[in-house]
Amino acid sequence: DTAVSQTPKYLVTQMGNDKSIKCEQNLGHDTMYWYKQDSKKFLKIMFSYNNKELIINETVPNRFSPKSPDKAHLNLHINSLELGDSAVYFCASSQGATNAFFGQGTRLTVV
Amino acid sequence: GENVEQHPSTLSVQEGDSAVIKCTYSDSASNYFPWYKQELGKGPQLIIDIRSNVGEKKDQRIAVTLNKTAKHFSLHITETQPEDSAVYFCAASQGGTSYGKLTFGQGTILTVHP
């Protein structure tokens, strides 16, 4: 049973395109997150949703738009992709503010 | 905001030795400190955590210590095995408006040689 699942696992696309990454968790958690891991492995939070409400929005370009249709899903849509957006994007979930479980990641490559 | 520094960036040990990774944090309001292990091609996996009202926690070969006064915490792995080889991240978190937000250290690449 996959706890936090992301699709796709790999995404290669051209600059200027729009793409989405989907995330689903079956843990019954009330909080979901998107993190970005750069080429140096540094992990940084992008967004956090609690019960479908946006509670954390770090200094992320507004080309990135998260959407949470329900507590179990948090999708990430990226407009006008740039080379610098290439990274691994991780979805995570937690019940309350601790014990976050991470998905396997989506490796986005913009060419 | 919170800043977490992690050292060393790489650590190489022989199987059976102990490994210690240290982190410092800047915000005294941080109250939750998890450690994650990330294997190649996978997401970070929580291996142990500690809250600010506890000084030490142990789970089999893994232990974490927290010094709130000095604002540092450490991960100790005893009797290391080759399967412990991975990237390890410390993190710090607060409640309030930063609910659930994890600020990560830079990561430590641990290599355990058989």
Side-chain angles (χ1 to χ4, degrees):
Chain A
D1 267 356
T2 303
V4 181
S5 60
Q6 298 177 227
T7 53
K9 188 168 182 182
Y10 300 97
L11 185 53
V12 181
T13 187
Q14 290 188 326
M15 276 195 304
N17 283 352
D18 302 339
K19 290 292 178 186
S20 292
I21 306 172
K22 295 186 176 182
C23 178
E24 176 181 5
Q25 54 96 2
N26 63 4
L27 298 166
H29 289 168
D30 60 3
T31 306
M32 295 186 72
Y33 314 81
W34 278 108
Y35 281 83
K36 179 180 180 180
Q37 186 170 46
D38 63 22
S39 57
K40 295 183 179 178
K41 297 282 191 185
F42 187 63
L43 276 158
K44 186 171 168 57
I45 193 167
M46 301 172 69
F47 303 103
S48 170
Y49 274 73
N50 177 257
N51 287 314
K52 301 195 304 175
E53 297 295 323
L54 180 67
I55 55 172
I56 293 174
N57 183 348
E58 292 290 287
T59 51
V60 178
N62 57 15
R63 297 182 295 104
F64 290 78
S65 53
K67 288 210 170 35
S68 182
D70 56 55
K71 278 173 43 173
H73 295 84
L74 180 62
N75 303 322
L76 183 65
H77 188 75
I78 316 170
N79 288 327
S80 303
L81 278 155
E82 301 176 358
L83 292 176
D85 297 331
S86 295
V88 182
Y89 293 85
F90 286 101
C91 178
S93 73
S94 66
Q95 180 59 33
T98 61
N99 292 16
F101 287 77
F102 283 74
Q104 284 211 315
T106 296
R107 181 174 293 277
L108 172 65
T109 304
V110 183
V111 297
Chain B
E2 176 64 279
N3 183 49
V4 177
E5 296 287 334
Q6 182 173 346
H7 299 281
S9 56
T10 60
L11 180 57
S12 185
V13 299
Q14 288 295 127
E15 183 176 1
D17 287 350
S18 294
V20 180
I21 303 170
K22 298 183 179 183
C23 289
T24 60
Y25 62 98
S26 61
D27 193 336
S28 56
S30 290
N31 55 18
Y32 173 66
F33 307 91
W35 286 88
Y36 284 84
K37 175 183 181 182
Q38 185 177 22
E39 296 175 329
L40 197 62
K42 297 186 177 180
Q45 179 186 9
L46 179 68
I47 56 172
I48 196 167
D49 57 11
I50 192 166
R51 285 165 172 75
S52 57
N53 58 349
V54 175
E56 184 173 357
K57 183 176 177 181
K58 190 173 181 181
D59 182 4
Q60 299 183 346
R61 297 186 297 108
I62 294 173
V64 59
T65 59
L66 171 65
N67 183 326
K68 282 175 56 180
T69 304
K71 294 208 274 287
H72 65 70
F73 56 114
S74 300
L75 177 72
H76 304 252
I77 306 174
T78 58
E79 300 172 26
T80 54
Q81 301 166 2
E83 50 266 39
D84 293 330
S85 297
V87 182
Y88 290 81
F89 292 95
C90 63
S93 176
Q94 317 168 7
T97 56
S98 296
Y99 186 87
K101 171 184 172 182
L102 292 172
T103 300
F104 283 89
Q106 297 90 335
T108 296
I109 302 172
L110 173 64
T111 304
V112 181
H113 299 282

PDB file of all heavy atoms in Angstrom, chain B residues 18-52:
ATOM      1  N   SER B  18      30.454   3.721  14.888  1.00  0.00           N
ATOM      2  CA  SER B  18      29.345   4.647  15.146  1.00  0.00           C
ATOM      3  C   SER B  18      29.453   5.847  14.215  1.00  0.00           C
ATOM      4  O   SER B  18      30.548   6.199  13.760  1.00  0.00           O
ATOM      5  CB  SER B  18      29.383   5.124  16.596  1.00  0.00           C
ATOM      6  OG  SER B  18      29.130   4.049  17.473  1.00  0.00           O
ATOM      7  N   ALA B  19      28.308   6.470  13.959  1.00  0.00           N
ATOM      8  CA  ALA B  19      28.268   7.684  13.136  1.00  0.00           C
ATOM      9  C   ALA B  19      27.473   8.743  13.887  1.00  0.00           C
ATOM     10  O   ALA B  19      26.441   8.436  14.494  1.00  0.00           O
ATOM     11  CB  ALA B  19      27.608   7.395  11.791  1.00  0.00           C
ATOM     12  N   VAL B  20      27.973   9.973  13.855  1.00  0.00           N
ATOM     13  CA  VAL B  20      27.295  11.077  14.531  1.00  0.00           C
ATOM     14  C   VAL B  20      27.136  12.231  13.552  1.00  0.00           C
ATOM     15  O   VAL B  20      28.095  12.636  12.896  1.00  0.00           O
ATOM     16  CB  VAL B  20      28.084  11.564  15.767  1.00  0.00           C
ATOM     17  CG1 VAL B  20      27.341  12.721  16.435  1.00  0.00           C
ATOM     18  CG2 VAL B  20      28.291  10.425  16.744  1.00  0.00           C
ATOM     19  N   ILE B  21      25.922  12.748  13.460  1.00  0.00           N
ATOM     20  CA  ILE B  21      25.623  13.900  12.610  1.00  0.00           C
ATOM     21  C   ILE B  21      25.029  14.981  13.501  1.00  0.00           C
ATOM     22  O   ILE B  21      24.163  14.694  14.340  1.00  0.00           O
ATOM     23  CB  ILE B  21      24.632  13.527  11.490  1.00  0.00           C
ATOM     24  CG1 ILE B  21      25.194  12.375  10.647  1.00  0.00           C
ATOM     25  CG2 ILE B  21      24.330  14.736  10.609  1.00  0.00           C
ATOM     26  CD1 ILE B  21      24.197  11.779   9.660  1.00  0.00           C
ATOM     27  N   LYS B  22      25.523  16.210  13.323  1.00  0.00           N
ATOM     28  CA  LYS B  22      25.100  17.292  14.215  1.00  0.00           C
ATOM     29  C   LYS B  22      24.380  18.396  13.460  1.00  0.00           C
ATOM     30  O   LYS B  22      24.722  18.708  12.320  1.00  0.00           O
ATOM     31  CB  LYS B  22      26.336  17.866  14.927  1.00  0.00           C
ATOM     32  CG  LYS B  22      27.049  16.844  15.798  1.00  0.00           C
ATOM     33  CD  LYS B  22      28.210  17.454  16.540  1.00  0.00           C
ATOM     34  CE  LYS B  22      28.871  16.387  17.421  1.00  0.00           C
ATOM     35  NZ  LYS B  22      29.980  16.944  18.230  1.00  0.00           N
ATOM     36  N   CYS B  23      23.413  18.985  14.140  1.00  0.00           N
ATOM     37  CA  CYS B  23      22.654  20.099  13.569  1.00  0.00           C
ATOM     38  C   CYS B  23      22.477  21.196  14.607  1.00  0.00           C
ATOM     39  O   CYS B  23      22.346  20.906  15.795  1.00  0.00           O
ATOM     40  CB  CYS B  23      21.292  19.633  13.081  1.00  0.00           C
ATOM     41  SG  CYS B  23      21.381  18.603  11.604  1.00  0.00           S
ATOM     42  N   THR B  24      22.470  22.430  14.125  1.00  0.00           N
ATOM     43  CA  THR B  24      22.122  23.565  14.970  1.00  0.00           C
ATOM     44  C   THR B  24      20.960  24.302  14.326  1.00  0.00           C
ATOM     45  O   THR B  24      20.803  24.283  13.103  1.00  0.00           O
ATOM     46  CB  THR B  24      23.303  24.529  15.152  1.00  0.00           C
ATOM     47  OG1 THR B  24      23.699  25.015  13.854  1.00  0.00           O
ATOM     48  CG2 THR B  24      24.482  23.838  15.797  1.00  0.00           C
ATOM     49  N   TYR B  25      20.139  24.913  15.169  1.00  0.00           N
ATOM     50  CA  TYR B  25      19.021  25.682  14.652  1.00  0.00           C
ATOM     51  C   TYR B  25      19.046  27.073  15.254  1.00  0.00           C
ATOM     52  O   TYR B  25      19.694  27.314  16.278  1.00  0.00           O
ATOM     53  CB  TYR B  25      17.693  24.962  14.919  1.00  0.00           C
ATOM     54  CG  TYR B  25      17.344  24.741  16.381  1.00  0.00           C
ATOM     55  CD1 TYR B  25      16.488  25.599  17.066  1.00  0.00           C
ATOM     56  CD2 TYR B  25      17.865  23.659  17.077  1.00  0.00           C
ATOM     57  CE1 TYR B  25      16.157  25.390  18.391  1.00  0.00           C
ATOM     58  CE2 TYR B  25      17.543  23.432  18.402  1.00  0.00           C
ATOM     59  CZ  TYR B  25      16.696  24.287  19.054  1.00  0.00           C
ATOM     60  OH  TYR B  25      16.378  24.077  20.380  1.00  0.00           O
ATOM     61  N   SER B  26      18.335  27.985  14.629  1.00  0.00           N
ATOM     62  CA  SER B  26      18.457  29.386  15.046  1.00  0.00           C
ATOM     63  C   SER B  26      17.250  29.893  15.833  1.00  0.00           C
ATOM     64  O   SER B  26      17.391  30.797  16.660  1.00  0.00           O
ATOM     65  CB  SER B  26      18.659  30.272  13.816  1.00  0.00           C
ATOM     66  OG  SER B  26      17.548  30.160  12.934  1.00  0.00           O
ATOM     67  N   ASP B  27      16.075  29.328  15.583  1.00  0.00           N
ATOM     68  CA  ASP B  27      14.859  29.868  16.167  1.00  0.00           C
ATOM     69  C   ASP B  27      14.485  29.114  17.446  1.00  0.00           C
ATOM     70  O   ASP B  27      14.141  27.929  17.385  1.00  0.00           O
ATOM     71  CB  ASP B  27      13.726  29.782  15.152  1.00  0.00           C
ATOM     72  CG  ASP B  27      12.508  30.598  15.547  1.00  0.00           C
ATOM     73  OD1 ASP B  27      12.339  30.850  16.767  1.00  0.00           O
ATOM     74  OD2 ASP B  27      11.734  30.966  14.661  1.00  0.00           O
ATOM     75  N   SER B  28      14.515  29.789  18.559  1.00  0.00           N
ATOM     76  CA  SER B  28      14.214  29.141  19.836  1.00  0.00           C
ATOM     77  C   SER B  28      12.761  28.681  19.922  1.00  0.00           C
ATOM     78  O   SER B  28      12.397  27.918  20.815  1.00  0.00           O
ATOM     79  CB  SER B  28      14.544  30.076  20.996  1.00  0.00           C
ATOM     80  OG  SER B  28      13.854  31.292  20.840  1.00  0.00           O
ATOM     81  N   ALA B  29      11.908  29.133  18.991  1.00  0.00           N
ATOM     82  CA  ALA B  29      10.509  28.696  18.996  1.00  0.00           C
ATOM     83  C   ALA B  29      10.334  27.312  18.370  1.00  0.00           C
ATOM     84  O   ALA B  29       9.272  26.704  18.486  1.00  0.00           O
ATOM     85  CB  ALA B  29       9.650  29.711  18.237  1.00  0.00           C
ATOM     86  N   SER B  30      11.352  26.805  17.707  1.00  0.00           N
ATOM     87  CA  SER B  30      11.252  25.466  17.125  1.00  0.00           C
ATOM     88  C   SER B  30      11.075  24.442  18.221  1.00  0.00           C
ATOM     89  O   SER B  30      11.741  24.509  19.267  1.00  0.00           O
ATOM     90  CB  SER B  30      12.496  25.146  16.290  1.00  0.00           C
ATOM     91  OG  SER B  30      12.509  25.918  15.118  1.00  0.00           O
ATOM     92  N   ASN B  31      10.169  23.497  17.998  1.00  0.00           N
ATOM     93  CA  ASN B  31       9.841  22.558  19.071  1.00  0.00           C
ATOM     94  C   ASN B  31       9.762  21.106  18.623  1.00  0.00           C
ATOM     95  O   ASN B  31       9.412  20.220  19.397  1.00  0.00           O
ATOM     96  CB  ASN B  31       8.509  22.966  19.728  1.00  0.00           C
ATOM     97  CG  ASN B  31       7.387  23.087  18.714  1.00  0.00           C
ATOM     98  OD1 ASN B  31       7.490  22.572  17.605  1.00  0.00           O
ATOM     99  ND2 ASN B  31       6.332  23.782  19.080  1.00  0.00           N
ATOM    100  N   TYR B  32      10.075  20.847  17.369  1.00  0.00           N
ATOM    101  CA  TYR B  32      10.003  19.483  16.854  1.00  0.00           C
ATOM    102  C   TYR B  32      11.158  19.265  15.903  1.00  0.00           C
ATOM    103  O   TYR B  32      11.400  20.104  15.013  1.00  0.00           O
ATOM    104  CB  TYR B  32       8.656  19.281  16.133  1.00  0.00           C
ATOM    105  CG  TYR B  32       8.519  17.966  15.417  1.00  0.00           C
ATOM    106  CD1 TYR B  32       8.485  16.767  16.122  1.00  0.00           C
ATOM    107  CD2 TYR B  32       8.418  17.911  14.029  1.00  0.00           C
ATOM    108  CE1 TYR B  32       8.362  15.553  15.467  1.00  0.00           C
ATOM    109  CE2 TYR B  32       8.298  16.707  13.364  1.00  0.00           C
ATOM    110  CZ  TYR B  32       8.266  15.532  14.093  1.00  0.00           C
ATOM    111  OH  TYR B  32       8.137  14.332  13.434  1.00  0.00           O
ATOM    112  N   PHE B  33      11.887  18.140  16.093  1.00  0.00           N
ATOM    113  CA  PHE B  33      13.135  17.934  15.378  1.00  0.00           C
ATOM    114  C   PHE B  33      13.184  16.500  14.833  1.00  0.00           C
ATOM    115  O   PHE B  33      13.597  15.574  15.524  1.00  0.00           O
ATOM    116  CB  PHE B  33      14.327  18.197  16.301  1.00  0.00           C
ATOM    117  CG  PHE B  33      14.255  19.543  16.961  1.00  0.00           C
ATOM    118  CD1 PHE B  33      13.648  19.699  18.198  1.00  0.00           C
ATOM    119  CD2 PHE B  33      14.772  20.669  16.329  1.00  0.00           C
ATOM    120  CE1 PHE B  33      13.558  20.947  18.802  1.00  0.00           C
ATOM    121  CE2 PHE B  33      14.694  21.916  16.929  1.00  0.00           C
ATOM    122  CZ  PHE B  33      14.076  22.056  18.164  1.00  0.00           C
ATOM    123  N   PRO B  34      12.799  16.323  13.580  1.00  0.00           N
ATOM    124  CA  PRO B  34      12.855  14.981  12.981  1.00  0.00           C
ATOM    125  C   PRO B  34      14.140  14.763  12.216  1.00  0.00           C
ATOM    126  O   PRO B  34      14.810  15.710  11.798  1.00  0.00           O
ATOM    127  CB  PRO B  34      11.651  14.997  12.024  1.00  0.00           C
ATOM    128  CG  PRO B  34      11.556  16.428  11.593  1.00  0.00           C
ATOM    129  CD  PRO B  34      12.050  17.268  12.748  1.00  0.00           C
ATOM    130  N   TRP B  35      14.464  13.510  12.024  1.00  0.00           N
ATOM    131  CA  TRP B  35      15.575  13.103  11.170  1.00  0.00           C
ATOM    132  C   TRP B  35      15.028  12.214  10.060  1.00  0.00           C
ATOM    133  O   TRP B  35      14.223  11.318  10.317  1.00  0.00           O
ATOM    134  CB  TRP B  35      16.624  12.323  11.976  1.00  0.00           C
ATOM    135  CG  TRP B  35      17.448  13.197  12.866  1.00  0.00           C
ATOM    136  CD1 TRP B  35      17.169  13.573  14.149  1.00  0.00           C
ATOM    137  CD2 TRP B  35      18.707  13.804  12.540  1.00  0.00           C
ATOM    138  NE1 TRP B  35      18.169  14.372  14.638  1.00  0.00           N
ATOM    139  CE2 TRP B  35      19.126  14.530  13.676  1.00  0.00           C
ATOM    140  CE3 TRP B  35      19.522  13.807  11.406  1.00  0.00           C
ATOM    141  CZ2 TRP B  35      20.323  15.251  13.705  1.00  0.00           C
ATOM    142  CZ3 TRP B  35      20.720  14.512  11.443  1.00  0.00           C
ATOM    143  CH2 TRP B  35      21.110  15.221  12.579  1.00  0.00           C
ATOM    144  N   TYR B  36      15.513  12.488   8.843  1.00  0.00           N
ATOM    145  CA  TYR B  36      15.060  11.729   7.693  1.00  0.00           C
ATOM    146  C   TYR B  36      16.244  11.038   7.011  1.00  0.00           C
ATOM    147  O   TYR B  36      17.346  11.582   6.961  1.00  0.00           O
ATOM    148  CB  TYR B  36      14.360  12.648   6.672  1.00  0.00           C
ATOM    149  CG  TYR B  36      12.961  13.041   7.080  1.00  0.00           C
ATOM    150  CD1 TYR B  36      12.741  14.116   7.935  1.00  0.00           C
ATOM    151  CD2 TYR B  36      11.871  12.321   6.613  1.00  0.00           C
ATOM    152  CE1 TYR B  36      11.463  14.467   8.308  1.00  0.00           C
ATOM    153  CE2 TYR B  36      10.581  12.672   6.980  1.00  0.00           C
ATOM    154  CZ  TYR B  36      10.382  13.743   7.826  1.00  0.00           C
ATOM    155  OH  TYR B  36       9.106  14.086   8.203  1.00  0.00           O
ATOM    156  N   LYS B  37      15.973   9.877   6.459  1.00  0.00           N
ATOM    157  CA  LYS B  37      16.950   9.123   5.674  1.00  0.00           C
ATOM    158  C   LYS B  37      16.440   9.076   4.238  1.00  0.00           C
ATOM    159  O   LYS B  37      15.275   8.741   4.006  1.00  0.00           O
ATOM    160  CB  LYS B  37      17.070   7.699   6.227  1.00  0.00           C
ATOM    161  CG  LYS B  37      17.966   6.769   5.427  1.00  0.00           C
ATOM    162  CD  LYS B  37      17.934   5.361   6.029  1.00  0.00           C
ATOM    163  CE  LYS B  37      18.840   4.400   5.265  1.00  0.00           C
ATOM    164  NZ  LYS B  37      18.771   3.017   5.818  1.00  0.00           N
ATOM    165  N   GLN B  38      17.292   9.443   3.292  1.00  0.00           N
ATOM    166  CA  GLN B  38      16.874   9.416   1.902  1.00  0.00           C
ATOM    167  C   GLN B  38      17.808   8.501   1.111  1.00  0.00           C
ATOM    168  O   GLN B  38      19.008   8.782   1.000  1.00  0.00           O
ATOM    169  CB  GLN B  38      16.868  10.817   1.279  1.00  0.00           C
ATOM    170  CG  GLN B  38      16.308  10.835  -0.136  1.00  0.00           C
ATOM    171  CD  GLN B  38      16.225  12.221  -0.736  1.00  0.00           C
ATOM    172  OE1 GLN B  38      16.915  13.150  -0.317  1.00  0.00           O
ATOM    173  NE2 GLN B  38      15.368  12.376  -1.734  1.00  0.00           N
ATOM    174  N   GLU B  39      17.259   7.438   0.591  1.00  0.00           N
ATOM    175  CA  GLU B  39      18.017   6.529  -0.265  1.00  0.00           C
ATOM    176  C   GLU B  39      17.872   6.984  -1.712  1.00  0.00           C
ATOM    177  O   GLU B  39      16.939   7.716  -2.067  1.00  0.00           O
ATOM    178  CB  GLU B  39      17.526   5.098  -0.064  1.00  0.00           C
ATOM    179  CG  GLU B  39      17.777   4.604   1.368  1.00  0.00           C
ATOM    180  CD  GLU B  39      17.208   3.232   1.642  1.00  0.00           C
ATOM    181  OE1 GLU B  39      16.174   2.873   1.041  1.00  0.00           O
ATOM    182  OE2 GLU B  39      17.804   2.512   2.466  1.00  0.00           O
ATOM    183  N   LEU B  40      18.782   6.526  -2.528  1.00  0.00           N
ATOM    184  CA  LEU B  40      18.840   6.970  -3.915  1.00  0.00           C
ATOM    185  C   LEU B  40      17.521   6.716  -4.637  1.00  0.00           C
ATOM    186  O   LEU B  40      16.996   5.608  -4.617  1.00  0.00           O
ATOM    187  CB  LEU B  40      19.982   6.237  -4.629  1.00  0.00           C
ATOM    188  CG  LEU B  40      20.449   6.837  -5.953  1.00  0.00           C
ATOM    189  CD1 LEU B  40      20.997   8.242  -5.725  1.00  0.00           C
ATOM    190  CD2 LEU B  40      21.499   5.945  -6.594  1.00  0.00           C
ATOM    191  N   GLY B  41      16.978   7.756  -5.243  1.00  0.00           N
ATOM    192  CA  GLY B  41      15.762   7.614  -6.027  1.00  0.00           C
ATOM    193  C   GLY B  41      14.489   7.523  -5.219  1.00  0.00           C
ATOM    194  O   GLY B  41      13.421   7.252  -5.763  1.00  0.00           O
ATOM    195  N   LYS B  42      14.599   7.753  -3.904  1.00  0.00           N
ATOM    196  CA  LYS B  42      13.416   7.654  -3.042  1.00  0.00           C
ATOM    197  C   LYS B  42      13.177   8.960  -2.294  1.00  0.00           C
ATOM    198  O   LYS B  42      14.026   9.845  -2.279  1.00  0.00           O
ATOM    199  CB  LYS B  42      13.595   6.510  -2.046  1.00  0.00           C
ATOM    200  CG  LYS B  42      13.707   5.147  -2.697  1.00  0.00           C
ATOM    201  CD  LYS B  42      13.734   4.054  -1.653  1.00  0.00           C
ATOM    202  CE  LYS B  42      13.781   2.668  -2.318  1.00  0.00           C
ATOM    203  NZ  LYS B  42      13.814   1.582  -1.312  1.00  0.00           N
ATOM    204  N   GLY B  43      12.020   9.037  -1.684  1.00  0.00           N
ATOM    205  CA  GLY B  43      11.715  10.196  -0.867  1.00  0.00           C
ATOM    206  C   GLY B  43      12.304  10.059   0.520  1.00  0.00           C
ATOM    207  O   GLY B  43      12.650   8.963   0.954  1.00  0.00           O
ATOM    208  N   PRO B  44      12.435  11.167   1.236  1.00  0.00           N
ATOM    209  CA  PRO B  44      12.933  11.102   2.628  1.00  0.00           C
ATOM    210  C   PRO B  44      11.996  10.264   3.486  1.00  0.00           C
ATOM    211  O   PRO B  44      10.777  10.340   3.353  1.00  0.00           O
ATOM    212  CB  PRO B  44      12.913  12.576   3.062  1.00  0.00           C
ATOM    213  CG  PRO B  44      12.918  13.368   1.799  1.00  0.00           C
ATOM    214  CD  PRO B  44      12.164  12.546   0.812  1.00  0.00           C
ATOM    215  N   GLN B  45      12.608   9.483   4.359  1.00  0.00           N
ATOM    216  CA  GLN B  45      11.839   8.625   5.260  1.00  0.00           C
ATOM    217  C   GLN B  45      12.178   8.986   6.700  1.00  0.00           C
ATOM    218  O   GLN B  45      13.353   9.013   7.080  1.00  0.00           O
ATOM    219  CB  GLN B  45      12.177   7.154   4.990  1.00  0.00           C
ATOM    220  CG  GLN B  45      11.447   6.175   5.886  1.00  0.00           C
ATOM    221  CD  GLN B  45      11.912   4.741   5.700  1.00  0.00           C
ATOM    222  OE1 GLN B  45      12.893   4.471   5.013  1.00  0.00           O
ATOM    223  NE2 GLN B  45      11.207   3.808   6.304  1.00  0.00           N
ATOM    224  N   LEU B  46      11.154   9.250   7.488  1.00  0.00           N
ATOM    225  CA  LEU B  46      11.361   9.600   8.893  1.00  0.00           C
ATOM    226  C   LEU B  46      11.943   8.411   9.650  1.00  0.00           C
ATOM    227  O   LEU B  46      11.411   7.298   9.583  1.00  0.00           O
ATOM    228  CB  LEU B  46      10.023   9.989   9.524  1.00  0.00           C
ATOM    229  CG  LEU B  46      10.042  10.368  10.995  1.00  0.00           C
ATOM    230  CD1 LEU B  46      10.778  11.682  11.217  1.00  0.00           C
ATOM    231  CD2 LEU B  46       8.616  10.481  11.547  1.00  0.00           C
ATOM    232  N   ILE B  47      13.058   8.620  10.331  1.00  0.00           N
ATOM    233  CA  ILE B  47      13.671   7.526  11.087  1.00  0.00           C
ATOM    234  C   ILE B  47      13.568   7.734  12.591  1.00  0.00           C
ATOM    235  O   ILE B  47      13.492   6.763  13.357  1.00  0.00           O
ATOM    236  CB  ILE B  47      15.144   7.304  10.684  1.00  0.00           C
ATOM    237  CG1 ILE B  47      15.980   8.579  10.829  1.00  0.00           C
ATOM    238  CG2 ILE B  47      15.235   6.752   9.270  1.00  0.00           C
ATOM    239  CD1 ILE B  47      17.477   8.351  10.634  1.00  0.00           C
ATOM    240  N   ILE B  48      13.563   8.959  13.045  1.00  0.00           N
ATOM    241  CA  ILE B  48      13.406   9.239  14.457  1.00  0.00           C
ATOM    242  C   ILE B  48      13.109  10.724  14.611  1.00  0.00           C
ATOM    243  O   ILE B  48      13.479  11.521  13.738  1.00  0.00           O
ATOM    244  CB  ILE B  48      14.671   8.830  15.259  1.00  0.00           C
ATOM    245  CG1 ILE B  48      14.385   8.751  16.773  1.00  0.00           C
ATOM    246  CG2 ILE B  48      15.840   9.755  14.967  1.00  0.00           C
ATOM    247  CD1 ILE B  48      15.475   8.064  17.570  1.00  0.00           C
ATOM    248  N   ASP B  49      12.443  11.078  15.678  1.00  0.00           N
ATOM    249  CA  ASP B  49      12.171  12.492  15.926  1.00  0.00           C
ATOM    250  C   ASP B  49      12.211  12.756  17.425  1.00  0.00           C
ATOM    251  O   ASP B  49      12.163  11.830  18.243  1.00  0.00           O
ATOM    252  CB  ASP B  49      10.837  12.931  15.319  1.00  0.00           C
ATOM    253  CG  ASP B  49       9.645  12.117  15.825  1.00  0.00           C
ATOM    254  OD1 ASP B  49       9.795  11.339  16.798  1.00  0.00           O
ATOM    255  OD2 ASP B  49       8.558  12.243  15.234  1.00  0.00           O
ATOM    256  N   ILE B  50      12.308  14.022  17.779  1.00  0.00           N
ATOM    257  CA  ILE B  50      12.345  14.396  19.187  1.00  0.00           C
ATOM    258  C   ILE B  50      11.630  15.724  19.354  1.00  0.00           C
ATOM    259  O   ILE B  50      11.710  16.598  18.478  1.00  0.00           O
ATOM    260  CB  ILE B  50      13.803  14.446  19.713  1.00  0.00           C
ATOM    261  CG1 ILE B  50      13.831  14.538  21.237  1.00  0.00           C
ATOM    262  CG2 ILE B  50      14.582  15.590  19.068  1.00  0.00           C
ATOM    263  CD1 ILE B  50      15.201  14.264  21.837  1.00  0.00           C
ATOM    264  N   ARG B  51      10.924  15.849  20.448  1.00  0.00           N
ATOM    265  CA  ARG B  51      10.238  17.094  20.740  1.00  0.00           C
ATOM    266  C   ARG B  51      11.008  17.864  21.801  1.00  0.00           C
ATOM    267  O   ARG B  51      11.824  17.298  22.527  1.00  0.00           O
ATOM    268  CB  ARG B  51       8.802  16.808  21.188  1.00  0.00           C
ATOM    269  CG  ARG B  51       7.921  16.409  20.012  1.00  0.00           C
ATOM    270  CD  ARG B  51       6.616  15.775  20.419  1.00  0.00           C
ATOM    271  NE  ARG B  51       5.715  15.568  19.292  1.00  0.00           N
ATOM    272  CZ  ARG B  51       5.858  14.624  18.372  1.00  0.00           C
ATOM    273  NH1 ARG B  51       6.860  13.788  18.437  1.00  0.00           N
ATOM    274  NH2 ARG B  51       4.995  14.518  17.375  1.00  0.00           N
ATOM    275  N   SER B  52      10.701  19.141  21.920  1.00  0.00           N
ATOM    276  CA  SER B  52      11.546  20.019  22.718  1.00  0.00           C
ATOM    277  C   SER B  52      11.456  19.754  24.213  1.00  0.00           C
ATOM    278  O   SER B  52      12.273  20.264  24.977  1.00  0.00           O
ATOM    279  CB  SER B  52      11.200  21.482  22.436  1.00  0.00           C
ATOM    280  OG  SER B  52       9.837  21.728  22.695  1.00  0.00           O
TER     281      SER B  52
END
